[in-house]
Amino acid sequence: MSRRRSSARGARGERHDPLRAGRRQAESLSHFVFAALGDPTRLAIVRRLCYEGPLSISRLAAGGSLTRQAITKHLGVMERARILRSERRGRERLWRIEQARLAEARHYLDVIAKQWDGALGRLKAMVEG
Amino acid sequence: MSRRRSSARGARGERHDPLRAGRRQAESLSHFVFAALGDPTRLAIVRRLCYEGPLSISRLAAGGSLTRQAITKHLGVMERARILRSERRGRERLWRIEQARLAEARHYLDVIAKQWDGALGRLKAMVEG
DNA sequence: GCCATACGCAACCTCCAGGTTGCACAATAT
DNA sequence: ATATTGTGCAACCTGGAGGTTGCGTATGGC
């Protein structure tokens, strides 16, 4: 996730707003998703869930080189980003993918790409016109 | 002298491999892209480039609360992830979006989603059959 | 030539994500 | 009842991401 804004005595005076943040909506929607997917371990987990279906924590941790706790933390992050969803099943907890969420992220990339095309189009028009 | 020194954690022999990494391809292709997009500042930059077209470093830094250097670093990260591409233009350097790269990431999410559906399908078949 | 602009490089600082360890607790198995 | 398995919780530790400052170097306009 994001780094905290540097200390309270931010040297240059102005505070907050990374590049005039804009579109909080888009941020809250996608930035967390991408951040979550940006970690190799997390991506691996997602991939495994995709191949093997819903799995429990210890199942995910078994075999790998990481502690169960480490896995648990990653699952937590992805749950908060709503990429995954958990469901208690007896004494274990099954994790599954929130597929719709991935679709959202996908769509966001679409929008970005389209806007980029638009920007280039306007630019070209200005130069030529 | 960084990793574990005595606690025989990874004494198992196999070093490395987060969740048996698998599909290095997919990782190298998308993990970096997602990581890059996961930072709010970076997402903001991408968004600006999308709206305003190609921009120079100092143009991007102007107005915002971050140093030019900070922006430069972010641009570097995204260049390495091949989300952006630069082009010298006189004494300045114009940055633009590598739109195809976003499409790749998008596609990757597609694949994941499809595989998930498949996994659920197989699971259901096993339970019912 | 001279000055301002647009960068690049490198050292340095801070903080938190990613990892570990240790222990307590709930749900099964036997 | 007891041992075992699957988790949850909390207190650590550490490297590197994200940021800053300072200075050196092209490039363009005058």
Side-chain angles (χ1 to χ4, degrees):
Chain A
M1 237 170 294
S2 58
R3 292 264 156 315
R4 212 39 280 114
R5 284 236 69 68
S6 59
S7 76
R9 56 142 159 28
R12 254 312 172 261
E14 34 239 77
R15 176 145 289 37
H16 207 240
D17 128 279
L19 219 38
R20 69 149 70 83
R23 298 309 99 89
R24 286 257 171 256
Q25 185 196 24
E27 279 211 5
S28 59
L29 275 182
S30 297
H31 137 233
F32 290 108
V33 177
F34 292 139
L37 259 31
D39 181 275
T41 302
R42 244 121 65 188
L43 232 204
I45 292 178
V46 167
R47 209 179 301 124
R48 264 196 78 186
L49 287 179
C50 283
Y51 277 107
E52 314 177 28
L55 293 175
S56 71
I57 299 180
S58 42
R59 201 92 157 54
L60 282 169
S65 55
L66 296 186
T67 310
R68 173 178 55 87
Q69 292 305 330
I71 302 294
T72 298
K73 281 195 179 180
H74 282 300
L75 293 174
V77 172
M78 298 206 265
E79 181 177 41
R80 261 166 268 141
R82 293 193 309 164
I83 292 178
L84 301 185
R85 185 172 25 124
S86 67
E87 168 196 3
R88 296 224 58 142
R89 195 79 171 181
R91 69 178 159 187
E92 61 187 0
R93 198 170 163 187
L94 290 184
W95 288 85
R96 51 174 10 134
I97 289 186
E98 190 83 57
Q99 192 225 33
R101 189 66 166 162
L102 295 181
E104 268 182 35
R106 207 200 85 158
H107 180 254
Y108 182 68
L109 292 181
D110 250 8
V111 173
I112 290 286
K114 293 251 172 66
Q115 280 173 345
W116 175 246
D117 281 343
L120 288 188
R122 289 194 300 276
L123 194 71
K124 198 182 170 197
M126 281 177 58
V127 173
E128 292 180 347
Chain B
M1 47 137 119
S2 40
R3 285 286 56 163
R4 289 275 56 78
R5 45 209 97 178
S6 45
S7 79
R9 220 303 152 278
R12 245 301 165 265
E14 46 230 83
R15 201 94 224 85
H16 208 237
D17 125 279
L19 221 37
R20 72 148 69 80
R23 297 310 101 88
R24 286 255 171 258
Q25 186 197 25
E27 278 210 6
S28 59
L29 276 181
S30 297
H31 139 231
F32 290 109
V33 177
F34 293 139
L37 258 33
D39 182 275
T41 301
R42 243 121 64 189
L43 233 203
I45 291 180
V46 168
R47 210 180 299 123
R48 263 196 79 184
L49 288 179
C50 283
Y51 278 108
E52 313 177 29
L55 294 175
S56 71
I57 300 181
S58 42
R59 201 91 158 56
L60 282 169
S65 53
L66 296 185
T67 309
R68 173 178 55 87
Q69 293 306 329
I71 302 294
T72 298
K73 281 194 179 180
H74 283 299
L75 292 174
V77 173
M78 297 205 265
E79 182 177 40
R80 260 166 268 141
R82 295 194 308 165
I83 291 176
L84 301 184
R85 184 171 28 122
S86 67
E87 169 196 3
R88 296 223 59 141
R89 196 78 172 180
R91 68 178 160 188
E92 60 187 0
R93 198 170 164 188
L94 289 184
W95 289 85
R96 52 178 11 154
I97 289 186
E98 189 84 56
Q99 191 225 34
R101 189 66 166 161
L102 295 181
E104 269 182 35
R106 205 200 87 157
H107 180 254
Y108 182 69
L109 293 180
D110 250 8
V111 174
I112 290 286
K114 294 252 171 64
Q115 280 172 344
W116 174 246
D117 281 343
L120 289 187
R122 288 194 301 277
L123 194 73
K124 197 180 169 197
M126 282 176 58
V127 174
E128 292 180 348

